[in-house]
């Protein structure tokens, strides 16, 4: 241990190891041992609904195509598309039917069937924190991969509703709002971004208003959504090609959007450039807590490799720092819960990146909610507020 301590101190990450990475292992271990409640009856009902929908969709699909074919088979579907002169993007009922059938097939075969084999009424997962960015991931099973609710033929399909609280408890979800954007504002000190994140109202309407130089009242839903996608595209190091595919626009239009974004938020572009210069010099980047990720190919002579590594470097700083903030919030919460009336009455059951879900005894529900919200919003000191979104319910799919 002394050798490890010495090695970590030499590269200035011992404090991160001692104050964040080690305490978080205990918290995750407790989460794994407590498990997440599972409603098997809901799973059986959902499975029956999905099976009936798949049979109905298959019948409609065969009527539309005029032949029977395996909707799961890429080869058979390709033959049908060729015969009917369709593509995967054609506005045709058959294309929609096949897409819905495959979505249902994935829901049933990948998720429902697996959880139906769980022996008791609780799911126990494994967690790890050794990802490149420091984000916590889950496996065996991966609850972070449970799909959101969706509607097919007027049926609401909610796998998340199968994950429930104990009978005398309530699930409480607290989710950081735009945490990665707030991390970027804090690190870049961009004045326009700081102003948008400290002003009242919808963040992306505010940003869109500043970007396009129009009143907030003139920002439509489409413009807001486009602004949001570009913002997160820049955070994830998205290039013009990927952005054009995401927004379904030309690459020239994507280049123009990126250029406009950089000119509207010059502090962000300046910060990104500084990060890359430092990375080229040192061969690494650091997150908010001091976590290090090395990039030995940052100075690659191959343009494709170099641009990919540059995107990864920026993404690591932002995404890794967001993971730092969530971990720090978890550690502070755990200490507070262990010391008072909430001890043994509040249990972490789920970590979904920027969102934490707790199983809370109803007798302390109000106090627990107040404590969790207050602690998460004050987890770290940033240049901008760190608001959270609060929801509660009897199941994961029922959170409101």
């Amino acid at each position: 241990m002394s050798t490890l301590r010495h090695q970590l101190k030499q590269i200035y990450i011992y404090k991160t190891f001692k104050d964040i990475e080690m305490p978080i292992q205990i918290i995750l271990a407790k989460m794994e041992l407590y498990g997440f409640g599972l409603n098997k009856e809901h799973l059986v009902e959902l499975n029956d609904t999905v099976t009936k929908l798949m049979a109905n969709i298959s019948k409609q699909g065969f009527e539309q195509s005029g032949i029977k074919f395996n909707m799961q088979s890429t080869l058979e579907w390709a033959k049908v598309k060729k015969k009917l002169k369709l593509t995967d993007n054609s506005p045709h009922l058959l294309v929609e039917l096949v897409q819905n059938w495959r979505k249902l097939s994935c829901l049933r075969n990948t998720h429902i069937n697996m959880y139906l084999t769980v022996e008791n009424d609780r799911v126990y997962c494994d967690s790890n924190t050794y990802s490149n960015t420091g984000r916590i991931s889950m496996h065996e099973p991966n609850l972070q991969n449970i799909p959101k609710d969706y509607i097919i033929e007027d049926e609401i399909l909610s796998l998340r509703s199968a994950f429930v609280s104990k009978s005398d408890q309530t699930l409480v979800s607290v989710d950081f709002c735009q945490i990665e954007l707030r991390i970027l504002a804090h690190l870049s000190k961009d004045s326009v971004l700081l102003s948008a994140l400290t002003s009242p109202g919808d963040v992306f309407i505010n940003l869109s208003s500043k970007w396009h130089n129009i009143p907030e009242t003139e920002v439509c839903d489409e413009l807001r959504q486009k602004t949001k996608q570009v913002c997160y595209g820049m955070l994830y190091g998205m290039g013009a090609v990927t952005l054009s595919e995401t927004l379904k626009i030309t690459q020239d239009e994507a280049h123009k959007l990126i250029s406009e974004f950089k000119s509207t938020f010059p502090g962000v572009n300046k910060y990104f450039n500084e990060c890359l210069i430092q990375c080229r010099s040192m061969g690494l980047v650091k997150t908010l807590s001091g976590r290090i990720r090395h990039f030995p190919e940052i100075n690659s002579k191959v343009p494709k490799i170099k641009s990919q590594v540059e995107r990864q470097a920026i993404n690591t700083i932002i995404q890794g720092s967001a993971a730092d903030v969530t971990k720090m919030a978890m550690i502070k919460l755990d200490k507070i819960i262990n010391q008072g009336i909430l001890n043994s009455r509040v249990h972490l059951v789920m970590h979904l990146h920027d969102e934490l879900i707790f199983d809370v005894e109803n007798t302390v529900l109000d106090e627990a909610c107040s404590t969790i919200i207050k602690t998460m919003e004050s987890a770290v000191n940033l240049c901008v507020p760190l608001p959270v979104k609060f929801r509660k319910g009897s199941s994961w799919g029922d959170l409101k």
Side-chain angles (χ1 to χ4, degrees):
M1 183 64 186
S2 60
T3 302
L4 177 61
R5 184 185 298 113
H6 175 69
Q7 291 175 338
L8 294 174
K9 284 183 176 180
Q10 279 189 318
I11 54 176
Y12 307 104
I13 60 170
Y14 176 68
K15 183 174 175 58
T16 303
F17 172 80
K18 179 175 69 73
D19 295 344
I20 298 179
E21 294 306 319
M22 285 298 95
I24 212 70
Q25 304 306 319
I26 304 299
I27 295 169
L28 292 175
K30 290 193 291 186
M31 181 184 77
E32 292 170 10
L33 290 169
Y34 185 79
F36 203 156
L38 186 66
N39 183 343
K40 287 283 194 70
E41 291 182 3
H42 177 82
L43 281 177
V44 171
E45 291 174 3
L46 181 61
N47 189 53
D48 290 343
T49 300
V50 168
T51 301
K52 290 175 184 176
L53 281 172
M54 289 175 71
N56 187 44
I57 289 173
S58 294
K59 182 180 178 182
Q60 292 181 64
F62 301 154
E63 290 172 353
Q64 286 288 321
S65 63
I67 57 171
K68 285 191 175 183
F69 67 98
N70 181 356
M71 290 190 173
Q72 192 68 54
S73 170
T74 303
L75 183 60
E76 291 188 31
W77 173 225
K79 290 179 180 178
V80 173
K81 285 188 291 183
K82 184 177 180 179
K83 175 189 174 184
L84 300 178
K85 297 180 181 180
L86 299 173
T87 69
D88 287 329
N89 296 318
S90 296
H92 193 281
L93 177 59
L94 182 59
V95 174
E96 181 183 347
L97 289 170
V98 171
Q99 289 173 346
N100 284 341
W101 190 94
R102 289 181 171 182
K103 187 181 287 189
L104 290 169
S105 176
C106 178
L107 178 64
R108 185 180 67 180
N109 298 333
T110 304
H111 299 289
I112 297 174
N113 288 347
M114 179 179 66
Y115 289 108
L116 281 172
T117 63
V118 173
E119 293 183 0
N120 50 41
D121 60 354
R122 299 197 74 75
V123 177
Y124 301 92
C125 305
D126 290 334
S127 306
N128 73 64
T129 59
Y130 49 79
S131 60
N132 287 328
T133 61
R135 294 182 93 184
I136 297 170
S137 60
M138 304 176 76
H139 56 101
E140 296 184 356
N142 182 7
L143 289 181
Q144 293 174 334
N145 201 33
I146 297 293
K148 293 182 178 180
D149 299 357
Y150 50 85
I151 300 174
I152 293 180
E153 295 190 358
D154 298 325
E155 289 281 359
I156 300 175
L157 305 171
S158 177
L159 180 58
R160 293 189 173 193
S161 293
F163 296 87
V164 297
S165 63
K166 289 187 176 180
S167 58
D168 57 343
Q169 300 183 180
T170 298
L171 290 183
V172 172
S173 162
V174 186
D175 186 5
F176 284 115
C177 301
Q178 307 100 25
I179 186 171
E180 292 173 344
L181 202 59
R182 294 173 187 278
I183 291 290
L184 176 60
H186 173 77
L187 294 174
S188 70
K189 303 295 188 293
D190 181 271
S191 59
V192 180
L193 192 55
L194 287 171
S195 173
L197 290 170
T198 52
S199 300
D202 184 279
V203 170
F204 293 107
I205 288 178
N206 196 310
L207 285 172
S208 188
S209 168
K210 294 179 185 300
W211 182 359
H212 299 283
N213 196 27
I214 59 175
E216 290 189 17
T217 52
E218 293 183 15
V219 178
C220 61
D221 290 342
E222 183 181 352
L223 195 57
R224 179 193 180 278
Q225 184 63 21
K226 183 177 289 188
T227 300
K228 182 177 180 179
Q229 288 175 309
V230 174
C231 283
Y232 283 106
M234 295 298 291
L235 281 175
Y236 301 143
M238 191 181 290
V241 175
T242 308
L243 186 62
S244 66
E245 292 171 352
T246 302
L247 296 178
K248 297 180 180 178
I249 57 177
T250 66
Q251 289 186 31
D252 287 342
E253 289 173 323
H255 276 295
K256 184 180 178 182
L257 282 178
I258 292 173
S259 178
E260 289 174 350
F261 180 90
K262 289 178 178 179
S263 62
T264 304
F265 307 101
V268 171
N269 192 43
K270 180 173 179 287
Y271 173 70
F272 284 168
N273 289 332
E274 290 172 350
C275 289
L276 293 177
I277 290 171
Q278 185 180 53
C279 186
R280 293 187 192 108
S281 172
M282 301 176 64
L284 56 83
V285 296
K286 291 185 177 182
T287 66
L288 199 63
S289 73
R291 168 186 280 271
I292 291 173
R293 182 179 180 185
H294 293 271
F295 288 97
E297 295 189 308
I298 186 67
N299 293 307
S300 173
K301 301 299 182 183
V302 182
K304 186 176 181 180
I305 294 176
K306 184 180 178 182
S307 61
Q308 180 184 21
V309 173
E310 288 177 349
R311 288 194 297 271
Q312 290 175 343
I314 295 298
N315 179 251
T316 295
I317 296 170
I318 306 300
Q319 197 176 85
S321 295
D324 290 342
V325 171
T326 305
K327 288 177 184 175
M328 286 185 255
M330 291 168 68
I331 292 166
K332 287 187 176 182
L333 268 171
D334 189 65
K335 287 180 180 178
I336 292 172
I337 289 170
N338 290 341
Q339 291 171 355
I341 192 174
L342 302 180
N343 189 22
S344 299
R345 295 177 175 177
V346 177
H347 300 273
L348 180 66
V349 294
M350 180 70 179
H351 175 285
L352 193 59
H353 305 310
D354 309 331
E355 178 184 6
L356 302 176
I357 301 178
F358 301 86
D359 205 0
V360 180
E361 281 191 16
N362 292 331
T363 55
V364 294
L365 184 59
D366 290 342
E367 183 173 346
C369 293
S370 175
T371 299
I372 293 169
I373 292 170
K374 182 179 178 181
T375 304
M376 289 183 66
E377 289 186 334
S378 61
V380 294
N381 293 318
L382 300 181
C383 297
V384 292
L386 196 59
V388 296
K389 179 182 178 182
F390 165 78
R391 296 176 299 159
K392 62 181 179 179
S394 58
S395 75
W396 186 6
D398 190 39
L399 295 173
K400 295 175 182 176

